[in-house]
Amino acid sequence: DIQMTQSPSSLSASVGDRVIITCRASQGLSNSLAWYQQKPGRAPKLLVSGASRLESGVPSRFTGSGSGTDYSLTISALLPEDFAIYYCQQYFAVPVTFGGGTKIEIK
Amino acid sequence: QVQLQESGPGLVKPSQTLPLTCTVSGDSISSGLYYWAWIRQHPGKGLEWIGFMSHSGLTYYDPSLKSRILVSVDSSKNQVSLSLTSVTAADTAVYYCARASGYSHGRVYFDLWGRGTLVTVSS
């Protein structure tokens, strides 16, 4: 199975901050990487697929990038509604696997 | 607007079988464009893929759960079902139904999710 390691596991940030979350895979993914946002008590929401393809309706302050084994999700300027848990997921191989999550908390 | 709604017993006894159903509205499961998946989340933990099925019947299951899982599709009812046998307390989780897109052979991501249903395994 492909192991997905996210970092950091949590971070504290302020509104307006630029935040970068990283995801490292145990093998190359050929950009088969998705990012999700989950708010408390809610289902995850797909933000990015194909490593950098923003889903319809997702604000442009979110950017996905990376290649090979290393990928990142950048939020250019945090808004209050962005405080949540973010997960990466590889779909290069079955079983598809998720990262452990990154919780963004208000500083 | 496509919506997914999970339903099932909130409480299941150990060793019993957990049956869950996902009703899809606003889209046809038979369209052939998507896989239909189950994902769970243990309390306070991360996401765990369980399995998925295409409209044509191709199934992929997490290897660690494969011996206990059955995912099926009822096109006439536009429903996806999950059956998990011999449950233990370790199966207590929120179970999500999701629509999956991507490539062939199960290499998919999840572009639409249901709200999830909490299942507790306890005597």
Side-chain angles (χ1 to χ4, degrees):
Chain A
D1 299 2
I2 297 177
Q3 305 303 313
M4 303 299 293
T5 303
Q6 269 184 255
S7 60
S9 57
S10 65
L11 65 91
S12 295
S14 300
V15 172
D17 283 354
R18 180 171 179 261
V19 168
I20 300 174
I21 300 168
T22 64
C23 190
R24 172 164 287 178
S26 58
Q27 67 182 78
L29 302 180
S30 295
N31 291 347
S32 296
L33 189 285
W35 289 97
Y36 302 86
Q37 176 194 65
Q38 186 178 32
K39 296 181 180 179
R42 304 285 295 274
K45 173 188 174 184
L46 178 67
L47 299 177
V48 172
S49 62
S52 61
R53 186 172 58 242
L54 216 59
E55 292 300 299
S56 175
V58 175
S60 58
R61 63 182 181 274
F62 291 91
T63 303
S65 62
S67 63
T69 60
D70 295 318
Y71 298 86
S72 62
L73 178 70
T74 300
I75 309 172
S76 59
L78 276 174
L79 293 182
E81 58 262 37
D82 299 335
F83 292 92
I85 300 176
Y86 294 82
Y87 295 94
C88 62
Q89 178 234 329
Q90 69 79 19
Y91 54 100
F92 180 77
V94 179
V96 299
T97 47
F98 292 90
T102 295
K103 185 175 184 178
I104 300 180
E105 299 176 300
I106 300 174
K107 183 182 288 184
Chain B
Q1 181 182 358
V2 182
Q3 292 186 320
L4 286 68
Q5 178 67 58
E6 304 89 347
S7 59
L11 180 65
V12 182
K13 288 182 167 52
S15 80
Q16 292 188 339
T17 295
L18 166 64
L20 291 174
T21 299
C22 172
T23 301
V24 179
S25 58
D27 190 13
S28 172
I29 286 180
S30 303
S31 68
L33 298 176
Y34 304 104
Y35 285 79
W36 301 92
W38 289 95
I39 297 151
R40 69 181 182 180
Q41 187 170 35
H42 295 101
K45 301 298 184 182
L47 300 166
E48 178 184 6
W49 167 68
I50 297 173
F52 42 63
M53 186 174 192
S54 71
H55 83 287
S56 60
L58 291 174
T59 55
Y60 297 85
Y61 298 137
D62 180 81
S64 67
L65 298 171
K66 187 175 182 179
S67 62
R68 299 196 291 130
I69 293 177
L70 178 66
V71 175
S72 59
V73 165
D74 186 334
S75 298
S76 66
K77 296 181 179 178
N78 225 35
Q79 291 178 333
V80 185
S81 295
L82 169 69
S83 176
L84 181 62
T85 63
S86 305
V87 297
T88 70
D91 295 309
T92 293
V94 174
Y95 286 77
Y96 294 101
C97 171
R99 189 180 73 178
S101 300
Y103 304 113
S104 60
H105 304 296
R107 298 184 300 131
V108 297
Y109 56 90
F110 309 103
D111 65 354
L112 190 65
W113 298 61
R115 297 177 67 176
T117 185
L118 175 62
V119 175
T120 301
V121 179
S122 175
S123 56

